[in-house]
Amino acid sequence: MNVAMILAGGVGKRMGTGEVPKQYIDIYGKPIIVHTLEVFDLHEEIDGIVVVLSQQWQTEMKTWLRQYDLNKVICLAEAGETRQASIYNGLCALDGRASEDDIVLIHDAVRPLLSRRIISENIEAAKAYGAVDTVIPSADTIIKSTDGSMLHSVPLRKELYLGQTPQSFKYGLIKAVHEKARADKIADASDDCQLVIRYGHQVKLVQGDKLNFKITIAEDLLLLKALLKLGKREEVS
Amino acid sequence: MIARNYRITAPYQFEVQVDLIEAQDNEAIVRTEAGAICKADLRYYTGQRERKILGLKYPLCLLHEAAGTVVKDRTGKFKPGERVVPVPNVIDPESCANCSQKVCEDPALGENYCPAAKFASSSADGFSREYFTYPVDYLVKIPHSVPTELAVMAELISVANAATRRLPLSGKEKVIVFGDGILGFILTSVLLFGGIEDITIVGGSEKRLANFPVPVKINYHTDPLPQPQFDLAFEAVGGGASEAAFESISQVLRPGGSCCLLGVAEEKIRINSRIILEKGLCFAGVTRSSRNDFVKAMNQLTDEKFASLIKSSIIAEAAVGDVVDFKNEFEYALSHKGFGKRVLRFNF
């Protein structure tokens, strides 16, 4: 079984959208998270979806699942205080449903432009390697500064990649890693692959793409809307 | 959902764009699996249309030869996972109410001559898209025995079927086909499996002619034209060579003979009207095809011998993972002068 876990616990403080977290902002008639869910819902290799979100949005989510005919969502899990806690809750929600070798694809709700290819390649690589990260090569030079004021070093660009999601794992592996992290009092890991490496497991890279960007700030939302507007055209005869 | 596509925005220039995919009540959502490049696509690619026409067409998703998989169909006609071929010629049922021409009721013409029809990759987006929505009435199920790459060829087969509608055949006619390209080959195959035994093919390349499954092959560069003895001719030449083909066809047809024209000449060509008058010839045109031509094509492809013949015209399958791959396939199609065509396998 291949299960997508959609992380929707963020509050969107950097969007300037008031009370509405970014994943629930309406884009041409649908919340962003619905666009994201549809990508997984229509993918032939995805068997189920877990949505991790705060309690206060669960009623709306249930409404959207019916309204937009999203049939693969098997459960809703409550978001935690941190990303790590949210993912752990999502994994626990799969207890009894997923087996050790099932694949879990963990994806940000605010990356609605995920392609079918990336999902397929994540699943294939996760089955072979157990852990997968989606990345794109860094087009820009990355500067390291330890104080935010002065340049400390310039790492070799060809060795640098930008991390995206999904990050995909065998269920048994990622669950065990989270259990260990909790036992080791690690509570705020912002990246699951980081945790997996910490506990001695290799992570395979899958090529992402630039369109699979994360809607984090207001400019990202503008970019998404502009991209969709570009695709709209009047019919000609 | 939001899905990607490759759109041509100017000659030789494709862009990755994204579309909102929303199925209407009569539509299914289809994932594009495979496609093929046609000469009409190449004309849009190279900009070989009138400038003002191009200005109205661009930006446009190309490809009208395609096969896909249904991922959602609320009408209930198709199940998720069923493979289909989209019929590129679509008529909006609302346009039928005020129609006075009713060409769709004439079996020789059919819905491909409906003035209200929209054609994918010309007056509507084609299938170079990750997902597309489509009226379920214009999706034709691919039988289990027909591989997806072969189903892509259904569009060309359907055009050949439309040609045989245009000039009905009894099976006893003496037929000559002009054009040793992919359309000429498919047309010859359709005629052969339709029971026409006496077929002569005329072309300009020994290598291409060698692939045709008929005994009489004429290379117009080296061989003399046959005597005027043919009942029917099919022209599948198109382009700049249309004029010479038209003249040759007029010569080899017997008095009262008929010809079906399938090749597109973008430039105007001269026609020897005297010979048409003197011999009482009939010329009919055919372009595109109707839904029933696709249904017939699918049935034809379930015949092992026919399928094997059509498969011989697929020279390779090419993986298309990004817009660069897509553009490269257009460059390949432009430069390819040999027999057959490539089927593109999409992985958006």
Side-chain angles (χ1 to χ4, degrees):
Chain A
M1 183 167 77
N2 305 313
V3 181
M5 183 189 296
I6 307 300
L7 302 179
V11 294
K13 287 174 188 166
R14 287 175 284 174
M15 286 296 293
T17 52
E19 295 296 307
V20 181
K22 55 199 174 186
Q23 60 273 25
Y24 303 121
I25 294 169
D26 186 283
I27 295 286
Y28 291 110
K30 284 181 192 173
I32 288 174
I33 188 172
V34 172
H35 290 296
T36 306
L37 286 168
E38 284 178 327
V39 176
F40 288 98
D41 197 67
L42 292 184
H43 197 289
E44 73 279 14
E45 292 177 87
I46 295 295
D47 304 298
I49 301 170
V50 180
V51 185
V52 185
L53 73 175
S54 68
Q55 185 68 42
Q56 70 182 97
W57 285 92
Q58 295 212 359
T59 305
E60 278 87 348
M61 179 54 67
K62 286 173 186 168
T63 306
W64 293 330
L65 296 182
R66 289 169 63 93
Q67 183 180 350
Y68 298 111
D69 197 24
L70 298 163
N71 299 313
K72 290 186 181 172
V73 175
I74 51 178
C75 62
L76 305 181
E78 190 162 351
E81 289 291 310
T82 63
R83 179 186 175 90
Q84 184 185 334
S86 290
I87 292 170
Y88 183 71
N89 290 350
L91 293 170
C92 290
L94 287 173
D95 280 346
R97 300 176 199 258
S99 59
E100 292 279 304
D101 285 338
D102 285 344
I103 304 301
V104 182
L105 299 90
I106 301 171
H107 187 67
D108 298 322
V110 285
R111 292 184 191 267
L113 291 178
L114 175 66
S115 74
R116 168 161 58 102
R117 173 192 66 77
I118 294 175
I119 295 175
S120 295
E121 291 184 4
N122 262 260
I123 292 169
E124 188 182 354
K127 283 178 179 169
Y129 296 92
V132 178
D133 201 0
T134 304
V135 299
I136 55 172
S138 172
D140 297 319
T141 299
I142 305 287
I143 302 298
K144 184 173 180 181
S145 171
T146 51
D147 59 6
S149 171
M150 302 298 285
L151 188 150
H152 176 264
S153 62
V154 181
L156 199 56
R157 193 175 70 182
K158 67 178 182 181
E159 295 177 355
L160 297 178
Y161 295 85
L162 305 177
Q164 300 187 328
T165 65
Q167 293 184 323
S168 305
F169 311 92
K170 286 189 175 170
Y171 176 71
L173 171 69
I174 191 66
K175 184 79 190 300
V177 162
H178 270 263
E179 301 281 10
K180 281 182 191 170
R182 287 167 69 85
D184 292 342
K185 307 290 184 202
I186 299 168
D188 58 351
S190 62
D191 188 282
D192 286 272
C193 288
Q194 205 177 10
L195 278 182
V196 167
I197 284 180
R198 185 185 182 110
Y199 291 110
H201 199 288
Q202 287 190 317
V203 176
K204 177 70 176 171
L205 301 184
V206 159
Q207 189 73 32
D209 71 35
K210 276 196 166 184
L211 280 177
N212 183 29
F213 62 89
K214 188 175 182 180
I215 298 165
T216 306
I217 56 175
E219 285 82 351
D220 299 327
L221 195 60
L222 179 67
L223 181 58
L224 175 63
K225 285 183 173 176
L227 284 169
L228 286 169
K229 198 167 183 182
L230 200 63
K232 285 179 180 286
R233 60 190 284 267
E234 295 296 320
E235 285 203 347
V236 292
S237 52
Chain B
M1 73 181 299
I2 303 169
R4 295 143 201 252
N5 63 67
Y6 303 140
R7 277 206 176 91
I8 189 158
T9 54
Y12 299 97
Q13 187 176 317
F14 287 109
E15 290 180 7
V16 181
Q17 296 189 357
V18 294
D19 287 332
L20 277 174
I21 302 291
E22 294 294 343
Q24 302 301 309
D25 290 343
N26 64 334
E27 291 180 333
I29 302 178
V30 180
R31 180 177 69 232
T32 308
E33 305 286 0
I37 297 168
C38 164
K39 286 277 190 294
D41 295 316
L42 289 176
R43 284 193 289 274
Y44 284 118
Y45 178 63
T46 55
Q48 287 179 326
R49 297 290 305 269
E50 280 183 58
R51 206 171 170 182
K52 61 182 178 185
I53 297 279
L54 286 176
L56 286 169
K57 303 282 186 183
Y58 293 157
L60 182 71
C61 290
L62 297 181
L63 304 191
H64 54 270
E65 299 170 16
T69 304
V70 172
V71 293
K72 189 170 253 187
D73 175 17
R74 281 193 235 176
T75 73
K77 183 172 181 178
F78 296 99
K79 291 177 189 153
E82 286 190 326
R83 296 175 304 138
V84 291
V85 164
V87 178
N89 195 71
V90 172
I91 300 167
D92 180 355
E94 287 183 16
S95 66
C96 297
N98 302 317
C99 175
S100 58
Q101 301 192 25
K102 305 286 183 194
V103 289
C104 57
E105 293 173 4
D106 179 346
L109 290 173
E111 63 199 52
N112 45 320
Y113 282 96
C114 172
K118 299 276 186 191
F119 194 80
S121 78
S122 177
S123 50
D125 271 327
F127 306 114
S128 58
R129 292 183 273 174
E130 186 178 14
Y131 295 94
F132 61 91
T133 56
Y134 221 64
V136 290
D137 288 343
Y138 289 91
L139 294 172
V140 176
K141 189 177 170 182
I142 302 172
H144 286 296
S145 64
V146 178
T148 301
E149 71 276 9
L150 206 53
V152 171
M153 308 303 278
E155 202 275 336
L156 278 170
I157 299 168
S158 74
V159 172
N161 288 335
T164 62
R165 273 196 290 115
R166 200 78 178 93
L167 291 185
L169 300 153
S170 69
K172 293 176 184 169
E173 293 86 353
K174 202 169 175 53
V175 173
I176 188 163
V177 175
F178 277 71
D180 58 10
I182 186 78
L183 182 56
F185 177 80
I186 301 272
L187 179 62
T188 304
S189 304
V190 166
L191 291 170
L192 204 60
F193 276 77
I196 307 294
E197 292 174 357
D198 191 345
I199 305 175
T200 297
I201 175 74
V202 180
S205 160
E206 290 292 341
K207 280 187 178 175
R208 289 198 299 265
L209 283 169
N211 295 283
F212 280 69
V214 293
V216 186
K217 301 169 186 181
I218 293 170
N219 183 334
Y220 68 77
H221 291 303
T222 54
D223 301 328
L225 276 178
Q227 294 299 308
Q229 55 187 303
F230 294 94
D231 303 305
L232 294 174
F234 290 88
E235 180 272 335
V237 177
S242 290
E243 189 170 309
F246 204 101
E247 176 66 24
S248 298
I249 287 168
S250 303
Q251 288 179 29
V252 301
L253 282 174
R254 66 162 172 78
S258 300
C259 173
C260 186
L261 304 167
L262 289 96
V264 177
E266 204 56 49
E267 301 295 328
K268 288 173 183 161
I269 63 167
R270 289 179 302 173
I271 291 174
N272 182 351
S273 59
R274 174 175 289 276
I275 195 168
I276 297 172
L277 303 179
E278 286 177 352
K279 294 175 75 173
L281 304 178
C282 287
F283 284 81
V286 74
T287 186
R288 301 173 181 171
S289 55
S290 300
R291 186 185 181 282
N292 286 341
D293 299 316
F294 274 79
V295 173
K296 187 176 175 185
M298 283 305 164
N299 287 332
Q300 289 161 316
L301 283 170
T302 58
D303 182 301
E304 276 184 33
K305 284 185 181 172
F306 183 76
S308 171
L309 198 55
I310 301 300
K311 196 172 183 179
S312 71
S313 67
I314 301 173
I315 52 174
E317 286 187 49
V320 174
D322 58 32
V323 72
V324 177
D325 292 341
F326 191 57
K327 182 178 165 61
N328 287 344
E329 285 304 316
F330 272 78
E331 288 296 323
Y332 174 83
L334 264 186
S335 63
H336 177 63
K337 304 296 178 204
F339 174 73
K341 69 196 309 184
R342 286 156 74 107
V343 168
L344 318 185
R345 281 282 191 174
F346 287 102
N347 187 19
F348 278 91

